[in-house]
């Protein structure tokens, strides 16, 4: 009886959480800022274009920030908080691109100046900037609903939810399933590795014996090994896509067909029966990849968002807002959940 009661409590909590998540996503709207900040899209597009012109690496930098934000506890800009105990201080986030982080804050400043009292969240700005950057790099536009609010504090303990570059496909599927994403989402979102770079420390297992590696082209393995030799300062990098490293296209999947996937997690997509058919289709049909990628991005960016009176709208994307207590001390806002 006790076990049945406990199970009932767990089920009830799960249903409440699911209902809360669905309700929060339901509060989003593509027209959320239509009256409050009609210049929003134009401001985002201008600043993204200006930065992209100088550094095309801002596009993969933005999409990595967005993925690392959304996949942990939802798209709430918690990853942007530059606290001593923040998410940026934890392993996978140590190499987030400064050019992308600065761009998000620059857009926020411009938007808040233009729209005055009608503020836009850092979470929404991150989503909009990423969409614009993907499009600038040649990728598809994806539908964006707006109305997210910003987290009150970072959540470094949630970083362990991020899938690793050496994960085998079954573990990847399990990781994505835990965040409400399916196999199609996994294969399509992995396609974001069609641009950007990775440090040697993240793919050294690809050219070393053992480790249960998926197949790798011998010449590619030799090239990686030579490139990463004597990488004492850990600054050497390799393009994730060897064919068109700066363009958002389907050539990443052609890399996998040629056994030139940089990460074990990527190469496994074309080897594992659960993902091989879709990865192969995307290698042959860019339109199919773009369509699924757009759907998966919309799905991911609507996960576990804060809306209504939850969280806050930050006045600086890197720090939470402050308030004065009855004792005259400043402290961060408490959650209104």
């Amino acid at each position: 009886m006790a076990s049945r009661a406990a199970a009932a409590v767990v089920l009830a909590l799960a249903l409440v959480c699911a209902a809360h998540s669905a309700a929060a996503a339901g509060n989003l709207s593509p027209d959320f800022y239509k009256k409050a900040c009609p210049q929003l899209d134009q401001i985002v597009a201008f600043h993204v274009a200006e930065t992209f012109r100088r550094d095309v690496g801002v596009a993969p930098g933005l999409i990595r920030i967005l993925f690392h934000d959304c996949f942990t506890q939802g798209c709430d800009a918690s990853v942007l908080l530059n606290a001593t105990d923040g998410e940026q201080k934890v392993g996978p986030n140590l190499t987030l691109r400064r050019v992308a982080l600065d761009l998000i804050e620059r857009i926020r400043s411009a938007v808040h100046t233009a729209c005055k009292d009608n503020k836009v969240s850092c979470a929404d700005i991150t989503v909009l900037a990423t969409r614009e950057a993907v499009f600038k790099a040649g990728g598809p536009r994806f539908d964006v609903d707006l109305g997210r609010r910003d987290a009150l504090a970072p959540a470094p303990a949630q970083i362990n939810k991020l899938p690793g570059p050496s994960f085998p496909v079954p573990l990847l599927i399990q990781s994505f399933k835990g965040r409400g994403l399916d196999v199609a989402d996994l294969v399509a979102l992995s396609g974001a590795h069609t641009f950007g770079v990775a440090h040697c420390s993240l793919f050294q297992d690809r050219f070393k014996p053992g480790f249960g590696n998926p197949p790798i082209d011998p010449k590619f393995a030799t090239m990686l090994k030579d490139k990463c030799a004597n990488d004492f300062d850990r600054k050497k990098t390799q393009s994730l896509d060897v064919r068109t490293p700066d363009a958002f296209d389907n050539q990443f999947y052609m890399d996998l067909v040629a056994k030139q996937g940089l990460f074990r997690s990527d190469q496994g997509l074309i080897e594992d029966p659960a993902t091989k058919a879709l990865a192969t289709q995307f290698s042959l049909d860019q339109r199919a990849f773009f369509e699924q990628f757009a759907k998966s991005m919309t799905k991911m960016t609507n996960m576990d968002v804060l809306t209504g009176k939850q969280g806050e709208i930050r006045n600086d994307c890197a720090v939470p807002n402050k308030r004065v207590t009855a004792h005259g001390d400043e402290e961060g806002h408490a959650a209104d959940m």
Side-chain angles (χ1 to χ4, degrees), residues 195-212:
F195 55 11
V197 300
H199 289 80
C200 287
S201 58
L202 295 178
F203 57 84
Q204 285 182 345
D205 56 356
R206 287 292 280 142
F207 54 80
K208 292 183 178 180
F211 295 93

Side-chain angles (χ1 to χ4, degrees), residues 68 85-96 155-157 159-160:
H68 284 212
D85 61 344
E87 295 170 41
Q88 293 182 35
K89 310 301 181 183
V90 182
N93 291 333
L94 292 174
T95 53
L96 294 180
I159 300 300
N160 59 7

Side-chain angles (χ1 to χ4, degrees), residues 246-259:
D246 294 330
F248 194 100
D249 54 26
N250 70 331
Q251 292 303 295
F252 161 79
Y253 299 99
M254 289 301 298
D255 294 340
L256 306 186
V257 172
K259 304 188 188 309

